[in-house]
């Protein structure tokens, strides 16, 4: 059932087309932008590399090219917005944005609890329909006789079991 | 451009000088707490139990209850 569902999804995403062309030709298409060429330096947002291997924006528009030209002059001539624009050309996320974190942990925790709950249902079903009878030594009668014998033997008379039994009144303290 | 030069050496020594006394102190406190809340009461409980313990009486009670195999209950 799962295999047929995967097959349907594969067909929907052009599985047969992908099989017929090589991956390089496929990457040249503009269809699938998730293909990453790992043989050239890549951009990365990491706290421990403040200057990544390549700038974030590779293909500059005419306006951005003009800004890059202005950057070659004295930086005191740049306005605050221009400096920010230059930063965003070379970096995708600032340090504050990288450190931000998300609320994903709530989803993860929720998923964990959902599956734990489902597992609990399965275990309950198993207890009712799969397990056999409990041993006879756990029946009421047997446990009563066992308890009486433990009291007679003076099990743990200082702190534990027999300590809690009143031998004069013959009842629990 | 006039930041103070950061500490370059002795970082571990500084940390140890701060944390070791605390560690030793807390360990001693934990040991003392355990001694006075667990072991001393336990020793006292055993001492009290055995102060007025009549082993013969207990033995006979157990014998009548029938828990021994070497001596059966006295036939009456």
């Amino acid at each position: 059932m799962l295999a047929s569902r995967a097959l349907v999804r594969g067909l929907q995403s052009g599985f047969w087309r992908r099989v017929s062309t090589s991956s390089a030709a496929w990457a040249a298409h503009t269809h699938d932008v998730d293909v990453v060429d790992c043989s050239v330096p890549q951009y990365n947002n990491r706290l421990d590399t403040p200057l990544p291997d390549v700038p974030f924006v590779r293909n500059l528009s005419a306006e951005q090219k003009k800004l890059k030209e202005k950057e070659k002059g004295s930086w005191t001539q740049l306005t605050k917005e221009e400096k920010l624009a230059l930063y965003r050309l070379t970096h995708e996320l600032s340090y504050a944005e990288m450190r931000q974190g998300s609320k994903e942990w709530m989803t993860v925790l929720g998923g964990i609890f959902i599956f734990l709950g489902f597992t609990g249902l399965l275990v309950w079903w198993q207890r009712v329909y799969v397990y056999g009878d409990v041993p006879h030594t756990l029946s009421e009668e047997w446990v009563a006789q066992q308890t009486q014998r433990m009291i007679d033997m003076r099990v743990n008379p200082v702190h534990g079991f027999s300590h809690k039994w009143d031998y004069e009144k013959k009842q629990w303290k | 451009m006039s930041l103070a030069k950061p500490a370059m050496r002795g970082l571990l020594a500084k940390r140890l000088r701060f944390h070791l006394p605390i560690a030793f102190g807390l360990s001693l406190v934990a040991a003392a707490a355990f001694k006075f809340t667990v072991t001393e009461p336990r020793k006292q409980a055993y001492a009290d139990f055995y102060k007025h313990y009549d082993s013969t009486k207990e033995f006979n009670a157990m014998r009548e209850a029938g828990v021994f195999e070497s001596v059966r209950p006295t036939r009456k």
Side-chain angles (χ1 to χ4, degrees):
Chain A
M1 197 251 297
L2 287 169
S4 66
R5 206 191 294 163
L7 190 61
V8 166
R9 195 162 304 141
L11 285 167
Q12 285 168 353
S13 62
F15 170 75
W16 295 114
R17 268 199 289 171
R18 197 171 289 189
V19 159
S20 61
T21 67
S22 69
S23 60
W26 185 252
H29 272 283
T30 49
H31 278 270
D32 191 355
V33 294
D34 284 333
V35 174
V36 175
D37 188 357
C38 291
S39 60
V40 296
Q42 294 172 43
Y43 177 78
N44 60 279
N45 286 313
R46 288 178 58 105
L47 293 173
D48 52 10
T49 49
L51 294 171
D53 300 330
V54 291
F56 180 55
V57 179
R58 304 292 302 278
N59 314 316
L60 299 169
S61 70
E63 203 175 288
Q64 288 165 335
K65 283 190 185 137
K66 256 199 305 182
L67 190 57
K68 279 288 184 187
E69 286 299 317
K70 191 171 176 190
E71 193 193 12
K72 291 180 186 170
S74 170
W75 288 343
T76 53
Q77 305 289 327
L78 295 167
T79 66
K80 186 175 161 196
E81 290 79 21
E82 284 171 342
K83 285 180 195 168
L84 278 174
L86 282 166
Y87 180 80
R88 290 292 170 184
L89 283 180
T90 49
H91 296 83
E92 181 193 8
L93 298 175
S94 68
Y95 267 82
E97 285 163 7
M98 272 193 267
R99 290 199 183 104
Q100 218 171 16
S102 63
K103 296 209 170 118
E104 190 188 4
W105 65 272
M106 295 185 197
T107 313
V108 169
L109 217 57
I112 290 172
F113 288 142
I114 286 171
F115 280 108
L116 277 177
F118 180 67
T119 308
L121 288 173
L122 290 179
V123 170
W124 186 11
W125 178 87
Q126 185 184 34
R127 171 65 184 87
V128 170
Y129 288 104
V130 176
Y131 284 11
D133 283 331
V134 144
H136 68 100
T137 52
L138 293 174
S139 65
E140 285 268 353
E141 195 186 290
W142 190 281
V143 169
Q145 288 174 347
Q146 182 177 289
T147 316
Q148 181 58 52
R149 191 172 149 79
M150 282 168 76
I151 291 168
D152 291 337
M153 283 198 285
R154 312 290 195 271
V155 167
N156 285 334
V158 180
H159 269 136
F161 197 79
S162 305
H163 170 68
K164 300 195 175 101
W165 177 262
D166 190 343
Y167 281 95
E168 269 89 58
K169 294 193 204 136
K170 302 234 189 299
Q171 63 188 19
W172 293 110
K173 287 185 189 168
Chain B
M1 275 307 236
S2 54
L3 293 168
K5 183 174 174 183
M8 306 292 263
R9 293 161 184 252
L11 296 164
L12 179 63
K14 182 173 164 202
R15 182 187 165 81
L16 286 179
R17 217 176 315 129
F18 179 74
H19 282 100
L20 271 179
I22 295 174
F24 274 100
L26 282 179
S27 318
L28 286 172
V29 165
F34 190 81
K35 183 183 172 71
F36 289 112
T37 55
V38 178
T39 60
E40 286 305 316
R42 193 177 284 171
K43 287 201 279 190
Q44 195 56 41
Y46 273 81
D48 292 339
F49 179 80
Y50 283 110
K51 207 189 307 189
H52 303 294
Y53 183 69
D54 185 1
S55 53
T56 320
K57 170 169 160 251
E58 295 290 323
F59 168 75
N60 283 320
M62 282 196 255
R63 175 186 182 171
E64 299 310 323
V67 293
F68 292 128
E69 284 181 22
S70 50
V71 279
R72 296 295 156 81
T74 55
R75 278 179 227 138
K76 272 282 161 73

